[in-house]
Amino acid sequence: SAAFLGSVVEKIGPRQSALLCGIFYGVGLVGSALAIQLQSLMLLYIFYGAIGGIGLGIGYIAPVKTLVNWFYDHRGLATGLAIMGFGFASAIAGPLIRLLIDSIGLIQTFLSLGIGYFILIFIASRLIQPAPPDYIQKTASGQMNRQQKQYTVHEAMMTKEFYALWFLLFINITCGIALLSVASPLLQEMTGMTAVAAAGIVGIMGIFNGAGRLFWASVSDYLGRDVVYSGFFVIEIISVLLLSQLSAPVPFQLLLFVVISCYGGGFACIPAYLSDVYGTRQLSAIHGRILSAWAMAGIAGPWIITWSRSMSNQYNNSLYIFAVLYACALVVSLAVLVHLRKKRKATLLALKENTAV
């Protein structure tokens, strides 16, 4: 839905998009209660999977362009805060949902969440205020943006950079989501930790996932998105190779936290990265299209690690596969970095010439 409805978000604006998100997500959860009451698996797929999923996708991209326009000089920080919220939400919602299920039952929990989320999202949608059209030009980097070509989603998808960035996001999520999906058995196999202790570490990984979104996105405002993305893959290559050789629990945990922080950072940096390359004219639609990499990675990551485990009866070989994938992404990221630096230099030169005139 993020990929296919990004253009709709552009047309109706962030406030109406957020409201649409609340409607779909609320209906998805309330409908799930009905599905459970009727004991219908197909209805659960429709309401929780499809309708709720559409609301989730719209809600993910709805605020991004607005934040970029209001905080153009600090796009990484702004989008990092929003996407950090998406990552940290499970730390709040998980215990709350468990408490509700134990207190009022599964059906009532879905009903309560559906109504509660709709009310919260409705209030939030009324608070969103798009930046005035000329506001971005008053910022320092907004002057740079004015000289930059403002791409439509179709124009962006005709460029090589789009598919390069899609590939970088795909690899980062594929490996990250695979590690998350088997973190507990991986820790038990490689370090000898108990299932209870490993489960606790998985919870802490969620914190690093969320914190990495804010940290790396903020760093990208100073170092540049292209540098940070290349840095992700250097760090991840070194980390997974070290993980393959380690059995001591503490160093193993620390390296896992580092990798997961880069995984979360990849999500947070990509909207600002896209605005660097394509401007802000149709950023929501372009961001939505690039997120199709997330959907594909959600299939590829767990499949790769499951296949590797079945072939060798251990998780260790999966880490070498991830190192190779990260290395391929590093090569692509460096090529993109060099290309974008040349384009940025040409744009700065044009800006200086116009200023002189």
Side-chain angles (χ1 to χ4, degrees):
S1 62
F4 291 104
L5 296 177
S7 297
V8 174
V9 173
E10 291 286 357
K11 289 179 182 178
I12 67 177
R15 298 184 74 181
Q16 296 305 109
S17 297
L19 179 59
L20 195 63
C21 156
I23 293 171
F24 271 96
Y25 200 58
V27 169
L29 291 176
V30 171
S32 298
L34 175 63
I36 295 168
Q37 178 67 41
L38 298 176
Q39 296 187 352
S40 172
L41 184 61
M42 184 54 64
L43 279 180
L44 188 65
Y45 287 154
I46 292 170
F47 281 108
Y48 190 76
I51 297 175
I54 290 171
L56 198 65
I58 296 172
Y60 189 89
I61 62 174
V64 169
K65 181 177 177 178
T66 302
L67 287 166
V68 166
N69 284 341
W70 274 115
F71 304 99
Y72 199 79
D73 282 341
H74 300 283
R75 285 164 285 167
L77 172 62
T79 57
L81 279 167
I83 295 174
M84 178 189 70
F86 194 91
F88 270 145
S90 61
I92 300 171
L96 173 62
I97 291 169
R98 183 73 264 168
L99 178 64
L100 287 172
I101 291 173
D102 292 340
S103 301
I104 60 177
L106 189 59
I107 294 175
Q108 293 300 323
T109 294
F110 271 107
L111 284 172
S112 301
L113 290 175
I115 295 169
Y117 277 130
F118 173 76
I119 293 171
L120 289 173
I121 296 172
F122 174 79
I123 294 171
S125 72
R126 300 304 91 189
L127 297 175
I128 296 176
Q129 181 63 45
D134 62 340
Y135 179 83
I136 191 173
Q137 307 303 342
K138 297 177 183 178
T139 66
S141 50
Q143 299 297 320
M144 177 75 172
N145 179 74
R146 186 167 57 184
Q147 302 298 319
Q148 179 185 19
K149 179 180 177 180
Q150 300 294 304
Y151 287 77
T152 66
V153 63
H154 298 294
E155 289 171 339
M157 292 182 69
M158 296 297 290
T159 65
K160 295 178 181 178
E161 293 96 322
F162 178 88
Y163 297 97
L165 293 177
W166 189 98
F167 177 75
L168 298 183
L169 187 63
F170 172 76
I171 294 298
N172 198 44
I173 299 174
T174 293
C175 300
I177 209 168
L179 285 171
L180 278 173
S181 69
V182 297
S184 179
L186 177 68
L187 283 161
Q188 293 174 59
E189 178 183 295
M190 298 289 290
T191 68
M193 293 180 68
T194 65
V196 174
I201 297 303
V202 172
I204 297 173
M205 287 171 67
I207 296 173
F208 277 85
N209 181 7
R213 298 174 187 228
L214 179 61
F215 174 76
W216 289 115
S218 301
V219 169
S220 75
D221 283 331
Y222 299 94
L223 299 182
R225 257 65 65 175
D226 47 7
V227 172
V228 169
Y229 243 89
S230 296
F232 286 155
F233 300 119
V234 172
I235 293 170
E236 287 165 333
I237 290 168
I238 295 171
S239 296
V240 295
L241 289 176
L242 288 174
L243 283 171
S244 68
Q245 304 300 318
L246 283 174
S247 59
V250 173
F252 197 94
Q253 294 166 35
L254 292 176
L255 286 171
L256 266 184
F257 296 155
V258 170
V259 173
I260 294 305
S261 78
C262 293
Y263 161 75
F267 279 109
C269 290
I270 200 66
Y273 204 164
L274 292 170
S275 72
D276 292 342
V277 181
Y278 300 115
T280 58
R281 179 182 173 185
Q282 290 196 351
L283 180 59
S284 295
I286 297 170
H287 184 210
R289 293 290 199 280
I290 214 85
L291 286 176
S292 61
W294 186 0
M296 297 299 101
I299 299 170
W303 180 85
I304 289 172
I305 202 161
T306 302
W307 171 82
S308 175
R309 180 77 164 80
S310 66
M311 294 296 291
S312 62
N313 202 34
Q314 60 181 2
Y315 287 113
N316 196 41
N317 289 342
S318 303
L319 298 173
Y320 294 112
I321 295 174
F322 296 152
V324 172
L325 292 174
Y326 283 137
C328 294
L330 176 60
V331 172
V332 174
S333 70
L334 291 174
V336 173
L337 184 152
V338 171
H339 176 68
L340 292 179
R341 289 298 169 97
K342 289 180 180 178
K343 287 182 65 174
R344 195 171 296 123
K345 185 177 181 180
T347 303
L348 284 170
L349 183 61
L351 178 61
K352 289 180 181 179
E353 291 175 353
N354 290 338
T355 304
V357 172

